[in-house]
Amino acid sequence: MTVLERIQLLRDELNNHNYNYYVLDNATISDFDFDIKLKELEKLEIENPEFFDSNSPTQRVGGAITKNFETITHKNRMYSLDNSYSKEDLLDWEKRVQKGLGREDLEYTCELKFDGASINLTYENGKFIKAVTRGDGFQGDNVTANVKTIRSIPLSIKNEFVSNFQMRGEIILPLDGFNKMNEERVANGEEEYRNPRNTASGSLKLQDSAEVAKRPLDCLLYQVVTEERKYKTHFEILENARNVGFKVPKTITLAKTIDEVFDFVNHWDKKRHDLPYETDGVVIKVNNLQQQEELGYTSKAPRWAIAYKFKAEQVSTVLNEITYQVGRTGAITPVANLEPVQLAGTTVKRASLHNADQIAKLDIRENDTVFVEKGGEIIPKIIAVDLTKRPIDSQPTMYATNCPECNTALVRTEGDAKHYCPNEFGCAPQITGRIQHFISRKAMDIDGLGGETVDLLRKEGLIQNYADLYDLKVEQVIPLERMAEKSAQNMIAGIEKSKEIPFEKVLFALGIRFVGETVAKKLAKHFKSIDNLMTANFEELINVDEIGDRIAQSIVDFSNDLGNIQLIERLKVYGVQLEVSAESLENQTNKLEGQVFVVSGVFHQMSRNELKKAIEDNGGKVSSSISKKTNFIVAGDNMGPSKLTKAQDLGISIISEQDFIDKIS
Ligand code: AMP
Ligand code: ZN
């Protein structure tokens, strides 16, 4: 046997033992013998560095240090899930799905919703390449070195599967391991970790991977993303993934009706406390992969899946005081400061009260005993007041009349539930908040500058608005607390680089009230430059698809404000992108102006997303359901039968992928 063959043999053996132990939970070798083999392999690899393999089982022990986690754009976006809380919600979802596909004979998978940190694992030619956190869904952090230490994740897969794919799952800390970690911490006189989920996601961001290797992390997998069409259903592809080495929980179950889904829900609602890890609900997915593709995504979540949340835990506690927070748009949020109480594994001290109406509706008062509930959200909410415990001298809550930060009288416009502090340019949290929003990932994405530094820069009088960022000099920044020459340079370089950020993101970054990411995209596409947008009047604005009165008025107000006009002029001078670049205007035409398309079925020359983009780039509109307004249906293979009938009834032209390509070329 050559050295290389011996190395291969040991690697295969050790991988297999890891698989048996960590995935199948069935040890096939003693720890002692495992160590002997591992030592032998280590020795051979050191003596023969030409056979180094970053996916060797020797690489699991960690040791790599990551100072800054690199940002990586996901090849396929990592969406959230829509939530449901009742059987009615699920029935509604089923109706939407059936309507979307034009058929009723569907099959669903039911899975547990694991509560940890989501992860995307990339495999190429059967080899593990990288692991990236979900981040904002579009881009996340490269945590490969840390994830590699998790023994249940295969570094190379055993048999035939698909060649290139991404495996998605949840990194979790099983309760056993979590409790052990806490016992150790207590023994060392350290504070206990709060809950498994936060500890799992915190572990992924540790700088020293050898530390991560010591933690009993695990990874449960639930989704394969691939362009290869080898498998027909979600269930089938997961079964095969399990067979080639992935830890796919066996709890996954097929269901043909929502009643069957509900059986699964009821079963696990009771039994979930017997599981070795935490779960906060169930995820239901359309099983057929082609149907998943056909249903596609909303701007946030797949239409082909829905989460069902188990009923949240509730506790009661005393509300000590109501305080008010000021957001970047000046919006006031009342906050309930609570007597600290344990709830669903964490200590809760605060709850959101939303707005004045909410307080009035529930008649929430200071010193009341209130019921607090925690769903999936980070901030818990108050459900009701325990009136039996209300003190006799209790007084109704008088909502704040002035800004807690700058004392300006608050305003509230008709139809808006929130109060606002109108002192836009003089109210500290608004100034800081606007700049923090400006630099954030989905906006100008400025590396090397964080939220706290923004606040510090403002306190030091170095910035009053986002345009001031572009005037900052390295020398001004170095003297600040916790700054050094290198970090100051990084910060200025990050600011400089943001001048390349495309207009649609700049528009979002400006922080115009009600102009979120999607609206900013629409406006950028329609108006093409900030000048066109700011000179547009109310009528012109509401004529844009999906722009309503509220958004239009907000843009008009923004555009008429002298302060804003000056800010924009300055951004222009610095070279920030305030119009759509020539590059992105290329390939865009008005050929499909005014025409509404529905895309259905499976395509061969373009992906469904490319097809949709081509429609929009050529001025057309994509709609998800067939109606009288639809002009064309681009039909691929396997379009749902009832969709076809509906299209024929309405006399809508059905065209092929090729017809469409001819239309735009
Ligand atoms: P949410 O964060 O509430 O929008 O829920 C979406 C997240 O649920 C995903 O990003 C996953 O991390 C997580 N998740 C947990 N279990 C599953 C599952 N079985 N299928 C899909 N997503 C899951
Ligand atoms: Zn204020």
Side-chain angles (χ1 to χ4, degrees):
M1 192 185 286
T2 65
V3 173
L4 180 57
E5 280 166 350
R6 180 73 192 152
I7 288 181
Q8 290 297 12
L9 185 76
L10 285 166
R11 283 178 184 163
D12 287 348
E13 264 189 53
L14 290 166
N15 277 335
N16 222 9
H17 290 308
N18 266 334
Y19 171 71
N20 290 333
Y21 186 74
Y22 291 102
V23 179
L24 302 182
D25 205 7
N26 175 25
T28 42
I29 187 173
S30 70
D31 287 358
F32 182 76
D33 291 336
F34 186 92
D35 275 345
I36 290 186
K37 286 187 196 285
L38 190 66
K39 290 258 157 57
E40 183 189 347
L41 177 59
E42 253 165 11
K43 182 158 166 282
L44 289 176
E45 286 180 347
I46 291 169
E47 287 166 2
N48 304 278
E50 67 275 27
F51 299 137
F52 173 81
D53 180 353
S54 63
N55 284 343
S56 164
T58 53
Q59 303 300 305
R60 299 263 199 198
V61 292
I65 305 280
T66 317
K67 278 257 142 52
N68 287 304
F69 292 92
E70 174 200 8
T71 305
I72 291 194
T73 302
H74 293 299
K75 183 150 174 265
N76 301 84
R77 179 168 160 197
M78 293 180 80
Y79 286 86
S80 329
L81 288 169
D82 284 334
N83 285 326
S84 63
Y85 302 90
S86 67
K87 194 163 167 182
E88 286 67 48
D89 290 350
L90 286 178
L91 284 167
D92 285 347
W93 174 74
E94 181 179 43
K95 273 204 206 92
R96 285 199 298 278
V97 168
Q98 288 174 334
K99 185 156 172 264
L101 292 170
R103 52 162 34 106
E104 295 191 350
D105 55 331
L106 301 176
E107 191 171 50
Y108 309 103
T109 57
C110 306
E111 296 164 53
L112 292 173
K113 189 167 190 291
F114 314 111
D115 207 7
S118 33
I119 194 81
N120 188 62
L121 310 171
T122 302
Y123 287 80
E124 283 169 15
N125 303 314
K127 298 268 174 239
F128 170 70
I129 304 291
K130 64 182 178 216
V132 180
T133 61
R134 176 161 103 176
D136 63 4
F138 295 95
Q139 36 182 233
D141 292 317
N142 183 350
V143 290
T144 307
N146 287 345
V147 166
K148 217 186 237 180
T149 66
I150 302 174
R151 306 296 205 280
S152 60
I153 296 180
L155 298 181
S156 55
I157 60 174
K158 303 206 302 174
N159 314 314
E160 190 72 9
F161 187 49
V162 282
S163 331
N164 295 323
F165 60 97
Q166 298 160 61
M167 194 77 206
R168 292 194 172 158
E170 205 80 358
I171 307 249
I172 56 149
L173 249 181
L175 290 163
D176 245 8
F178 175 73
N179 291 332
K180 270 202 201 95
M181 278 173 74
N182 267 344
E183 279 163 27
E184 264 172 46
R185 284 183 76 85
V186 173
N188 294 334
E190 292 162 320
E191 202 178 319
E192 288 183 55
Y193 291 116
R194 287 279 176 73
N195 65 46
R197 181 187 42 189
N198 292 354
T199 317
S201 58
S203 302
L204 290 184
K205 301 297 280 294
L206 291 177
Q207 295 193 340
D208 181 358
S209 59
E211 269 312 303
V212 185
K214 289 187 203 147
R215 299 197 172 181
L217 295 166
D218 204 348
C219 183
L220 304 176
L221 299 155
Y222 50 65
Q223 198 82 37
V224 183
V225 183
T226 176
E227 260 114 65
E228 295 165 47
R229 298 229 166 89
K230 190 165 158 195
Y231 301 102
K232 290 218 161 45
T233 68
H234 176 63
F235 192 80
E236 187 189 352
I237 202 168
L238 282 185
E239 293 247 284
N240 280 280
R242 187 190 298 123
N243 289 338
V244 298
F246 290 100
K247 194 161 190 172
V248 175
K250 291 221 164 119
T251 40
I252 182 169
T253 302
L254 286 170
K256 292 225 184 286
T257 61
I258 290 302
D259 276 324
E260 285 178 34
V261 170
F262 233 73
D263 290 342
F264 183 89
V265 167
N266 289 334
H267 173 80
W268 285 109
D269 197 4
K270 285 193 212 84
K271 290 273 188 246
R272 64 181 156 133
H273 302 290
D274 302 341
L275 288 165
Y277 43 75
E278 289 191 314
T279 160
D280 56 349
V282 167
V283 183
I284 302 108
K285 298 173 188 164
V286 170
N287 191 27
N288 182 301
L289 295 175
Q290 204 174 292
Q291 291 173 351
Q292 287 189 358
E293 202 182 312
E294 167 109 28
L295 287 163
Y297 299 82
T298 66
S299 64
K300 291 203 183 69
R303 292 198 185 85
W304 45 265
I306 191 159
Y308 176 90
K309 289 287 180 84
F310 292 133
K311 221 172 159 23
E313 279 182 55
Q314 264 187 22
V315 286
S316 77
T317 188
V318 175
L319 191 173
N320 291 327
E321 192 192 2
I322 295 174
T323 54
Y324 300 85
Q325 268 172 7
V326 190
R328 73 172 160 88
T329 58
I332 306 293
T333 306
V335 180
N337 295 271
L338 307 168
E339 195 54 37
V341 59
Q342 280 293 119
L343 175 58
T346 53
T347 308
V348 172
K349 298 192 188 98
R350 268 179 285 277
S352 166
L353 290 168
H354 303 289
N355 53 49
D357 294 345
Q358 181 77 5
I359 294 177
K361 196 171 125 210
L362 298 176
D363 187 18
I364 297 172
R365 308 177 183 186
E366 289 182 350
N367 302 320
D368 268 345
T369 297
V370 293
F371 293 106
V372 185
E373 183 178 292
K374 196 165 166 197
E377 313 76 18
I378 297 168
I379 305 173
K381 47 182 185 226
I382 292 182
I383 303 302
V385 175
D386 186 349
L387 290 175
T388 62
K389 299 209 175 126
R390 176 166 280 173
I392 321 168
D393 59 349
S394 166
Q395 293 295 319
T397 298
M398 299 287 284
Y399 200 80
T401 51
N402 293 70
C403 175
E405 299 282 342
C406 71
N407 208 30
T408 307
L410 300 180
V411 295
R412 189 186 204 186
T413 42
E414 269 291 307
D416 198 341
K418 290 229 167 226
H419 285 73
Y420 287 87
C421 164
N423 185 12
E424 224 176 302
F425 297 104
C427 181
Q430 293 192 57
I431 297 170
T432 307
R434 259 198 313 272
I435 304 174
Q436 285 170 337
H437 169 75
F438 186 80
I439 66 166
S440 65
R441 232 183 207 177
K442 290 184 178 178
M444 302 303 277
D445 192 19
I446 298 185
D447 275 341
L449 177 58
E452 279 175 32
T453 313
V454 167
D455 202 32
L456 191 63
L457 288 166
R458 183 193 56 79
K459 281 195 189 123
E460 295 290 329
L462 290 172
I463 53 174
Q464 274 299 312
N465 54 54
Y466 37 68
D468 290 345
L469 289 172
Y470 296 93
D471 271 339
L472 284 175
K473 307 269 178 305
V474 175
E475 309 82 73
Q476 292 176 299
V477 178
I478 293 177
L480 296 183
E481 216 178 297
R482 274 181 285 142
M483 269 289 166
E485 186 156 345
K486 185 84 192 125
S487 44
Q489 278 164 354
N490 282 346
M491 179 174 136
I492 302 298
I495 294 172
E496 189 59 30
K497 187 133 191 301
S498 73
K499 294 180 184 170
E500 292 162 19
I501 293 288
F503 175 51
E504 56 179 48
K505 292 203 172 182
V506 177
L507 188 52
F508 171 60
L510 297 180
I512 304 172
R513 194 184 291 175
F514 308 130
V515 178
E517 235 184 326
T518 324
V519 172
K521 262 191 201 147
K522 290 222 167 78
L523 291 170
K525 203 172 159 83
H526 186 93
F527 289 99
K528 312 234 170 1
S529 74
I530 195 78
D531 291 344
N532 290 344
L533 177 70
M534 288 178 74
T535 50
N537 60 31
F538 185 82
E539 292 304 313
E540 287 166 313
L541 283 162
I542 53 169
N543 275 331
V544 181
D545 223 19
E546 287 169 57
I547 303 298
D549 292 4
R550 200 171 69 135
I551 300 175
Q553 191 54 51
S554 163
I555 294 168
V556 170
D557 292 346
F558 179 90
S559 308
N560 288 338
D561 186 292
L562 198 61
N564 289 327
I565 296 174
Q566 284 168 349
L567 277 180
I568 300 293
E569 284 310 315
R570 281 179 63 199
L571 292 181
K572 260 188 218 166
V573 174
Y574 297 126
V576 171
Q577 303 291 315
L578 288 165
E579 54 187 44
V580 176
S581 70
E583 223 174 299
S584 58
L585 282 175
E586 243 176 64
N587 298 325
Q588 294 196 4
T589 72
N590 292 329
K591 282 187 184 152
L592 309 178
E593 184 89 53
Q595 299 178 359
V596 180
F597 289 77
V598 169
V599 174
S600 180
V602 179
F603 301 93
H604 301 284
Q605 304 183 51
M606 309 184 174
S607 73
R608 171 183 298 269
N609 282 338
E610 283 164 354
L611 192 62
K612 288 184 179 170
K613 185 165 181 299
I615 294 171
E616 285 174 352
D617 283 350
N618 288 287
K621 197 184 157 209
V622 182
S623 162
S624 59
S625 61
I626 301 175
S627 71
K628 276 180 285 185
K629 291 193 196 133
T630 313
N631 300 94
F632 293 98
I633 296 179
V634 190
D637 299 347
N638 289 317
M639 175 172 164
S642 77
K643 263 194 184 170
L644 193 65
T645 325
K646 184 159 186 199
Q648 283 162 344
D649 288 352
L650 290 169
I652 299 165
S653 323
I654 301 176
I655 61 173
S656 70
E657 187 179 8
Q658 188 57 49
D659 296 337
F660 174 77
I661 293 170
D662 294 344
K663 228 174 167 21
I664 55 169
S665 57

